[in-house]
């Protein structure tokens, strides 16, 4: 399928948008990048701060092996170059939440080099987005302006927390592509386990670089909108900032390279500060830290620990299990859903190839529909994989019809009870008793003799009417296949 070309129409004609994202992802680890202080979210201010984090004199940083491991595993998951030799640099700037007066980062020799991520901005479209680098750095603290009428407080709990900065190439050309890239990157990080991807808690945030140009023209001047914390806001930032730049240019103005902030209440970006160039930070190798040298055994362990990743899992679901492309895409989009689905398959006790299709259909339609209605994630599902497997089995063996299974599922959602118990206690079992069904068919035909005559006179479409009346008379408990067979016999007899 040819990819959709995104353009913004201005007074002087169409404009092309050029987008790059710098994603800061908090590394999953129990301790900080250079100290043993804890990293748990939501702790009381300044209760997770070591002497290293507070920049006390004489304190020396020691790299956390697990943080390096997680960054390497992330690089491997996107097929990136892993640099066996890398180095930490000091990025010097002064701010109240940065106790050292510098941030330890990696500029010249990052841990991870070039890689790529394949995205699907629209159904049937694929595009490869280049990754320029992943470097490891420490986070700053947090300023709290709402605790006192005249003072700002500093919380250093985040100071020194390990971040991966994942820098894309400027390969995205629409809000949809930027959104698809961020969703895919988040999915990969969550599969790998290197970041929980919780954007609301700040463990993943994006700096959005946007410029505009006439299609195919020279690259324009870019702006950087900092710390955008949701996929929706990233897409809104791209569109709003691109339109702002086009308005400025078409009015004869110039775009200033600057740092901006996104205001979700007004759905607009506003200027924060003019953009400092890299040399303003006076980067130099950190004298307290030796270069990182990765050995073969370490790299082999990192590679061996990687799980099946979303693209490979989706392909396997389609090829080996016969699941539709749509269902496979939905199920593998998030690691929690994929794990739930695989637990569902395992709980059936049957070969995956036999149960995968009905299980996938039930999950993506019935369960997802119910969770959306209840405002819950799959991790909070009121129905467990084991309970779901029992419900699917009752449909497969003819105990429940499709209609009855929906009734049972609703009761399961309300009560938390197992499907088998509900069926037994409430008498919801589907009947294939031919005698009982034939008796109801006879009653339906007696009550609708005129329609029987019309049917036998050639009005075949009335067959559906008789099916509906029979099912209604049996409160939806009759086996539809048996009803169809016996009705055909009675009406045509």
């Amino acid at each position: 399928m040819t990819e959709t070309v995104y353009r913004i129409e201005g007074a002087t004609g169409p404009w092309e948008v050029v987008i790059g994202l710098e994603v800061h992802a908090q590394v999953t680890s129990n301790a900080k990048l250079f100290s043993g202080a804890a990293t748990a979210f939501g702790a009381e201010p300044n209760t997770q701060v070591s002497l290293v984090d507070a920049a006390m004199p004489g304190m020396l940083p020691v790299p956390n092996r697990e943080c390096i491991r997680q960054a390497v595993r992330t690089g491997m998951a996107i097929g990136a170059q892993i640099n066996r030799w890398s180095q930490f640099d000091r990025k010097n700037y002064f701010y109240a939440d940065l106790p050292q007066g510098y941030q330890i980062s990696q500029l010249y020799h990052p841990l991870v080099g070039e890689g790529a991520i394949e995205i699907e901005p629209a159904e049937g479209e694929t595009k490869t987005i280049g990754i320029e680098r992943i470097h490891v750095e420490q986070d700053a603290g947090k300023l709290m302006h709402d605790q006192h009428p005249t003072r700002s407080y500093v919380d250093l709990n985040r100071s020194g927390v390990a971040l991966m900065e994942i820098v894309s190439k400027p390969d995205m050309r629409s809000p949809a592509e930027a959104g698809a890239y961020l969703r895919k990157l988040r999915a990969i990080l969550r599969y790998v386990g290197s970041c929980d991807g919780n954007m609301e808690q700040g463990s993943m945030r994006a700096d959005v670089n946007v410029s505009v140009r006439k299609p195919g023209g020279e690259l324009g001047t870019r702006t950087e909108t900092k710390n955008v914390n949701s996929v929706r806001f990233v897409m809104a930032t791209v569109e709003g900032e691109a339109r702002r730049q086009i308005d400025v240019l078409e009015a004869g103005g110039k775009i200033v390279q600057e740092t901006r902030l996104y205001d979700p209440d007004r759905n607009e970006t506003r200027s924060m500060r003019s953009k400092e160039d890299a040399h303003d930070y006076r980067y130099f190798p950190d004298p307290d830290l030796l270069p990182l040298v990765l050995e073969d055994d370490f790299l082999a362990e990192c590679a061996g620990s990687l799980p099946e990743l979303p693209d490979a899992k989706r392909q396997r679901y389609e090829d080996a299990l016969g699941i539709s492309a749509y269902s496979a895409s939905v199920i593998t989009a998030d690691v929690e859903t994929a794990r739930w689905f695989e637990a569902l398959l395992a709980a059936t006790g049957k070969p995956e190839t036999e149960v995968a299709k009905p299980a996938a259909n039930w999950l993506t339609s019935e369960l997802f529909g119910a969770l959306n209605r209840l405002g819950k994630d799959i991790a909070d599902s009121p129905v467990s994989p084991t309970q779901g497997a029992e419900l699917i089995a009752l449909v497969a063996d003819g105990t429940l019809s499709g209609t009855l299974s929906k009734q049972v599922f609703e009761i399961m959602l309300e009560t938390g009870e197992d499907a088998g118990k509900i069926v037994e206690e409430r008498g919801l079992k589907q009947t294939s008793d031919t005698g009982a069904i034939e008796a109801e068919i006879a009653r339906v035909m007696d009550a609708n003799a005129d329609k029987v005559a019309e049917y036998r006179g050639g009005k075949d479409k009335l067959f559906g009417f008789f099916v509906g009346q029979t099912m209604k008379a049996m409160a939806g408990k009759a086996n539809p296949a048996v009803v169809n067979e016996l009705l055909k016999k009675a009406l045509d007899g």
Side-chain angles (χ1 to χ4, degrees):
M1 183 184 283
T2 53
E3 74 178 56
T4 306
V5 178
Y6 177 83
R7 296 285 185 264
I8 295 179
E9 285 297 326
T12 60
W15 292 80
E16 182 179 23
V17 187
V18 178
I19 308 145
L21 295 182
E22 299 169 23
V23 174
H24 292 83
Q26 180 176 328
V27 177
T28 301
S29 65
N30 293 326
K32 295 182 181 180
L33 182 54
F34 298 116
S35 83
T39 58
F41 177 78
E44 285 296 308
N46 296 310
T47 58
Q48 299 183 158
V49 187
S50 76
L51 296 175
V52 173
D53 309 322
M56 291 297 165
M59 294 297 108
L60 294 176
V62 178
N64 180 339
R65 185 180 188 276
E66 179 62 13
C67 295
I68 305 305
R69 176 178 173 273
Q70 293 287 29
V72 169
R73 294 174 71 245
T74 301
M76 289 176 167
I78 60 169
Q81 169 71 37
I82 307 300
N83 296 322
R84 289 171 174 264
W85 191 97
S86 62
Q87 182 175 272
F88 286 107
D89 302 298
R90 286 189 182 179
K91 178 182 181 180
N92 294 273
Y93 64 99
F94 297 93
Y95 205 60
D97 61 6
L98 194 72
Q100 295 155 310
Y102 59 84
Q103 178 191 36
I104 302 177
S105 183
Q106 294 184 311
L107 176 67
Y108 301 110
H109 301 284
L111 185 62
V112 178
E114 292 193 1
I117 288 178
E118 193 171 86
I119 64 167
E120 290 188 8
E123 193 174 345
E125 290 182 13
T126 59
K127 181 172 181 176
T128 300
I129 306 299
I131 304 288
E132 195 171 285
R133 56 192 276 144
I134 301 177
H135 63 258
V136 182
E137 64 185 21
Q138 57 180 175
D139 205 353
K142 179 183 177 186
L143 284 176
M144 303 165 75
H145 304 293
D146 57 355
Q147 307 294 304
H148 192 277
T150 60
R151 297 177 182 176
S152 290
Y153 290 110
V154 181
D155 177 10
L156 294 182
N157 279 352
R158 286 194 68 85
S159 180
V161 164
L163 301 176
M164 294 178 285
E165 182 166 344
I166 305 163
V167 182
S168 84
K169 294 187 176 182
D171 290 346
M172 290 161 271
R173 294 291 181 270
S174 71
E177 287 184 8
Y181 168 82
L182 195 56
R183 278 191 293 268
K184 185 63 169 288
L185 177 59
R186 181 179 182 273
I188 291 170
L189 294 176
R190 283 170 54 77
Y191 267 81
V192 171
S194 58
C195 175
D196 65 21
N198 194 325
M199 300 189 79
E200 287 180 2
Q201 293 182 1
S203 58
M204 186 173 168
R205 50 195 194 267
D207 297 342
V208 186
N209 291 281
V210 175
S211 66
V212 297
R213 65 180 178 183
K214 287 295 183 177
E218 293 286 314
L219 284 173
T221 302
R222 67 181 172 87
T223 64
E224 181 182 36
T225 303
K226 299 287 285 186
N227 293 330
V228 185
N229 67 350
S230 80
V231 173
R232 183 165 59 91
F233 289 166
V234 164
M235 294 172 69
T237 295
V238 169
E239 186 168 2
E241 178 58 14
R243 289 189 181 278
R244 184 194 70 82
Q245 291 185 19
I246 291 166
D247 290 344
V248 169
L249 292 169
E250 292 191 329
K254 287 187 174 180
I255 301 303
V256 178
Q257 185 171 342
E258 63 180 350
T259 301
R260 299 180 71 84
L261 288 175
Y262 174 69
D263 184 340
D265 295 328
R266 296 186 176 185
N267 191 27
E268 64 184 21
T269 65
R270 62 172 185 269
S271 182
M272 181 180 170
R273 59 176 181 263
S274 62
K275 180 69 177 173
E276 302 97 338
D277 292 322
H279 61 253
D280 289 335
Y281 293 124
R282 303 186 315 284
Y283 279 99
F284 62 87
D286 193 301
D288 292 334
L289 288 160
L290 291 170
L292 283 174
V293 180
L294 307 182
E295 297 182 346
D296 290 345
D297 288 351
F298 176 78
L299 292 173
E301 188 281 323
C302 288
S305 71
L306 287 178
E308 184 181 39
L309 294 166
D311 286 348
K313 192 178 287 289
R314 182 175 67 174
Q315 201 62 52
R316 178 171 66 83
Y317 283 179
E318 289 182 44
D319 296 345
L321 301 184
I323 297 172
S324 72
Y326 169 78
S327 291
S329 175
V330 169
I331 293 168
T332 58
D334 185 77
V335 68
E336 290 288 345
T337 306
R339 286 174 183 159
W340 205 99
F341 177 65
E342 292 185 352
L344 176 68
L345 295 184
T348 65
K350 294 185 177 180
E352 288 187 343
T353 49
E354 186 180 318
V355 293
K357 275 188 186 176
N361 291 338
W362 176 79
L363 176 66
T364 56
S365 57
E366 301 302 323
L367 184 61
F368 274 10
L371 293 176
N372 286 338
R373 198 169 70 240
L374 297 170
K376 290 180 179 290
D377 293 327
I378 198 155
D380 306 315
S381 172
V383 173
S384 71
T386 304
Q387 290 176 313
E390 184 183 15
L391 180 63
I392 291 166
L394 290 172
V395 174
D397 69 12
T399 302
L400 291 176
S401 65
T403 305
L404 284 173
S405 73
K406 292 181 194 298
Q407 288 180 40
V408 172
F409 180 51
E410 286 301 322
I411 297 167
M412 291 169 71
L413 290 169
E414 289 171 22
T415 65
E417 293 177 351
D418 293 345
K421 182 183 178 188
I422 292 167
V423 168
E424 286 302 321
E425 290 184 354
R426 307 199 185 202
L428 291 173
K429 192 177 291 186
Q430 174 176 265
T431 181
S432 297
D433 180 345
T434 54
I437 294 172
E438 283 173 339
E440 289 300 340
I441 287 173
R443 277 193 278 274
V444 167
M445 288 175 66
D446 287 345
N448 296 277
D450 53 337
K451 287 189 168 58
V452 172
E454 287 178 43
Y455 173 85
R456 288 174 174 164
K459 263 197 164 181
D460 292 351
K461 289 181 181 177
L462 281 170
F463 187 76
F465 165 79
F466 289 107
V467 172
Q469 290 297 305
T470 307
M471 293 299 289
K472 184 178 176 184
M474 298 200 69
K477 294 178 187 175
N479 184 320
V482 177
V483 168
N484 274 270
E485 183 187 335
L486 295 178
L487 256 174
K488 193 80 179 156
K489 188 175 170 185
L491 285 167
D492 293 345

